[in-house]
Amino acid sequence: PQGYTDQFRRGQCDAQGRFRIADLPPGDYFVTTAVQWVVANQPQGGHFMRRVRLGQGEQADVILTFP
């Protein structure tokens, strides 16, 4: 989507699968992840993405799931 690469940040999840990206200015963001595993020596998985809008001082809890 347009604007996808304007601001790119990476985060790594903790032991519970949660991650935090701090100090983002207000705006629209795309949260993405790739999920991969192997079954019978064949790679499986896919990509998830969600658009998030942050206002001044806001934070968001985002859950990426298969629809």
Side-chain angles (χ1 to χ4, degrees), residues 7-64:
Q7 285 201 15
F8 186 83
R9 305 239 183 129
R10 285 183 188 250
Q12 185 168 348
C13 68
D14 62 18
Q16 288 75 39
R18 297 182 180 122
F19 63 94
R20 181 174 186 227
I21 300 173
D23 301 322
L24 292 173
D28 291 329
Y29 296 90
F30 296 95
V31 179
T32 65
T33 191
V35 179
Q36 297 179 352
W37 62 92
V38 176
V39 175
N41 293 324
Q42 295 295 316
Q44 306 285 318
H47 292 83
F48 297 91
M49 179 174 70
R50 176 160 302 165
R51 187 177 191 160
V52 178
R53 177 170 287 165
L54 294 177
Q56 184 65 39
E58 282 188 323
Q59 64 180 24
D61 291 325
V62 179
I63 298 174
L64 300 175

